[in-house]
Amino acid sequence: MLTESHEALAREVLIHGPIGRSALGRRLGLSPASLTRLAKPFLERGLFVERGEESNGAVGRPVRPLDIAPDLGSFAGMKITGDAVYAVLTDARAQILAERVVALRATTPEAVVGVLAGIVSDFSAVTTAPLVGVGVSLGGAVDDSGRVIRAPFLDWVDVDFGPSLSSVTGLNVTVENDVVALVEAERWFGAGRGRSGFSVITIGAGVGYGLVVGGESVHTRGAGVGLGGHIPLDPTGPLCPQGHRGCSTAVLTSIGMCAQVASALGRPVDYAEVLSLAAAGDPVATAVVDAAARGLGRMIALAANLTMQPTVVLAGDGIGLWELAASQVRVAAAADRDPLAEPVEILVDDAGFRAWARGAAAVAIQAAVARLATSELLRGDPAAPRRP
């Protein structure tokens, strides 16, 4: 009978492989006999492979680490914004094999399904491993069926997007909030890999927040409603569109920063120009960037203080703020942290939109691993197809 232990084993080998059986047993709390029994169906169906013998430095037989099969499958991850789709093709460990950016001429669900289906077709034509799953992430609230409850940037409400895309592509489709997906990518494959707890703060057109505690992501019904977007950071700061003074949306978003500089200069500016002006010493842009850096440092300290997780991962398409003002951010974070507390560890994922797309691929990979534990792949004929 298949159990949750099969899924746990598949997850550990995927994330940490190649990994020896003794290390696996310790991580999963399994005896050697139990581990051998659980691994057997994965090995028989070619989902796992044994790597060459390695010495672990101890007396005894060399170990043969377990790893996932190199041709297990490939995955498409796609991040949808209000004007473009950022897509990556990855292997089963979310390593990027190819990528595309496609502008959206229309944002109706039907139009977006057509764009994503075209990208899937393109990726299928170039991958050597079968494309076995599609992950989609967007800013908004999503339920477990792949229905988009609300996506403000796309003006969507109650859209059965996942089932529609699956019907067109014939593939398993996983739809998730973009911050949730990014947190999962950082937890399994990214900066947070191997850490039991950390916060994720994303900056860009919006501000996102996620949390991992005890090795597991904290999922709530609030994911997708922008809970990180209105944290008060500066009592004298600008107003956000909802009238909150000095909140994270007003202080940290690229939209808010551009609005402040544009108002002072009397002309439109984009985010890249704001950062460029600040780097060149423009007083208006410098003041805005400095305030944003202080605000980001304060938000980092708040995340570490309130969650008691001293590691914070920064990501998002607005990560240029960190690249320009890292020292100010660190000083501000330390100022709001008790001197006796463990210093905050700030990790940075500077992949921009590629990180968002990789997050979408990660949730597709997670869904595939979950399917392995209930799939006919682990039953019946060992010669059965291996599609997860």
Side-chain angles (χ1 to χ4, degrees):
M1 178 179 178
L2 299 176
T3 68
E4 292 182 359
S5 296
H6 286 95
E7 181 179 345
L9 174 61
R11 181 173 62 246
E12 290 297 320
V13 173
L14 176 65
I15 298 173
H16 301 291
I19 182 171
R21 283 175 169 79
S22 59
L24 267 175
R26 288 193 299 271
R27 295 186 69 90
L28 296 171
L30 296 172
S31 68
S34 295
L35 184 60
T36 296
R37 174 178 54 80
L38 288 171
K40 182 179 178 181
F42 291 99
L43 288 164
E44 287 179 341
R45 276 124 185 108
L47 298 166
F48 287 175
V49 295
E50 289 184 306
R51 296 298 184 188
E53 293 185 349
E54 298 178 0
S55 173
N56 60 7
V59 176
R61 296 174 57 187
V63 298
R64 293 178 61 85
L66 290 176
D67 201 1
I68 59 168
D71 61 345
L72 181 61
S74 59
F75 297 83
M78 294 181 274
K79 153 72 170 172
I80 306 173
T81 72
D83 53 18
V85 176
Y86 297 82
V88 295
L89 174 72
T90 78
D91 63 14
R93 286 200 170 102
Q95 297 301 304
I96 295 174
L97 307 173
E99 56 187 298
R100 287 198 63 191
V101 180
V102 180
L104 288 176
R105 296 181 180 178
T107 58
T108 64
E110 296 78 12
V112 177
V113 164
V115 170
L116 268 58
I119 294 172
V120 168
S121 179
D122 290 347
F123 282 163
S124 296
V126 301
T127 182
T128 56
L131 187 59
V132 298
V134 176
V136 178
S137 73
L138 46 77
V142 179
D143 69 15
D144 292 339
S145 72
R147 180 173 64 98
V148 178
I149 300 170
R150 181 177 71 99
F153 286 104
L154 297 167
D155 197 25
W156 289 0
V157 176
D158 291 329
V159 175
D160 286 327
F161 190 77
S164 297
L165 184 58
S166 181
S167 177
V168 172
T169 61
L171 295 170
N172 292 295
V173 174
T174 305
V175 183
E176 187 54 274
N177 168 263
D178 53 4
V179 176
V180 171
L182 181 61
V183 170
E184 296 294 13
E186 301 294 356
R187 179 170 73 101
W188 275 36
F189 307 112
R193 179 175 176 266
R195 288 173 166 80
S196 63
F198 57 92
S199 298
V200 175
I201 296 173
T202 66
I203 53 175
V207 177
Y209 173 75
L211 179 64
V212 173
V213 177
E216 298 294 332
S217 299
V218 177
H219 287 183
T220 71
R221 293 182 62 185
V225 301
L227 295 178
H230 295 285
I231 305 297
L233 299 175
D234 182 355
T236 64
L239 292 173
C240 81
Q242 295 186 23
H244 304 146
R245 182 166 296 283
C247 71
S248 52
T249 292
V251 173
L252 292 181
T253 63
S254 55
I255 294 173
M257 293 172 67
C258 290
Q260 294 176 67
V261 175
S263 176
L265 297 182
R267 62 176 178 82
V269 294
D270 61 18
Y271 187 60
E273 185 179 5
V274 169
L275 298 181
S276 178
L277 287 170
D282 177 85
V284 171
T286 297
V288 169
V289 167
D290 286 349
R294 291 192 299 271
L296 181 56
R298 171 158 287 183
M299 189 163 181
I300 289 170
L302 284 170
N305 292 345
L306 294 175
T307 66
M308 300 184 186
Q309 306 298 320
T311 298
V312 176
V313 177
L314 295 181
D317 48 291
I319 203 65
L321 172 63
W322 168 264
E323 296 167 354
L324 180 62
S327 59
Q328 294 102 304
V329 175
R330 291 188 185 278
V331 168
D336 283 349
R337 185 84 166 149
D338 191 283
L340 298 180
E342 182 179 352
V344 177
E345 179 185 32
I346 302 174
L347 306 176
V348 180
D349 183 340
D350 59 1
F353 279 114
R354 295 172 77 241
W356 292 111
R358 188 169 180 255
V363 294
I365 294 166
Q366 289 180 327
V369 170
R371 289 195 298 273
L372 285 177
T374 57
S375 170
E376 291 299 322
L377 292 170
L378 300 184
R379 311 173 194 261
D381 182 5
R386 296 189 299 124
R387 285 175 74 97

